[in-house]
Amino acid sequence: MADPLQKIRIDKWLWQARFFKTRGLSAKAVSAGLRVNGLNVSKPAFNVGPGDVLTFSQARQVRVIKVVALGERRGPAPEAQQLYEDLDPPQPGSGDDVPPVQRLEGNSRPTKRDRRKLDLDRGRTLE
């Protein structure tokens, strides 16, 4: 792996660790506000290294991550999970969960209210 004295751009590391699908999305997340070791960071070019603790929001959750290693590439998920340690793992069922929409039998079309609930359910599966 990398030398402990080396550092990498924070947007690139978040992308390599698979927290965001694209590097552009990770740069937007950094620009929106992120903390590194308690220090507010808003520049995607900020360098991080092993031992740094990142606090950022992702999909309506606050993530607290410790950088364990620097990546050489954006590899598969098991490889990416070795780059960090999750200090506050997400709890199942946390947040404002919307119960699934109950569909009626027959040819009835969903009401406007039902469509909104369906859109909420679909939106959560993408996050």
Side-chain angles (χ1 to χ4, degrees):
M1 273 284 169
D3 185 34
L5 298 177
Q6 288 185 341
K7 299 218 177 229
I8 190 171
R9 287 176 57 115
I10 192 166
D11 62 335
K12 189 172 181 180
W13 186 87
L14 287 169
W15 172 69
Q16 287 178 349
R18 294 187 165 266
F19 286 106
F20 299 99
K21 282 187 174 185
T22 64
R23 191 163 166 193
L25 286 175
S26 65
K28 281 184 184 179
V30 174
S31 297
L34 184 132
R35 289 181 180 263
V36 177
N37 299 328
L39 176 69
N40 283 331
V41 174
S42 61
K43 303 257 183 199
F46 188 85
N47 290 327
V48 294
D52 288 338
V53 177
L54 310 178
T55 306
F56 60 96
S57 63
Q58 179 191 27
R60 299 180 185 163
Q61 292 182 347
V62 175
R63 304 290 305 262
V64 181
I65 305 297
K66 181 178 180 181
V67 178
V68 175
L70 303 178
E72 297 174 8
R73 64 187 182 114
R74 187 173 198 258
E79 184 179 311
Q81 290 172 349
Q82 294 176 355
L83 299 179
Y84 64 90
E85 177 185 344
D86 198 351
L87 299 178
D88 188 24
Q91 301 298 321
S94 65
D96 53 338
D97 292 336
V98 177
V101 176
Q102 298 295 324
R103 298 297 308 254
L104 297 174
E105 295 295 327
N107 293 332
S108 64
R109 295 176 59 186
T111 63
K112 188 173 186 177
R113 182 177 173 199
D114 292 339
R115 284 196 313 271
R116 287 181 182 150
K117 287 181 182 178
L118 285 170
D119 289 341
L120 275 176
D121 287 343
R122 287 186 191 131
R124 290 188 188 277
T125 59
L126 295 176
E127 295 174 351

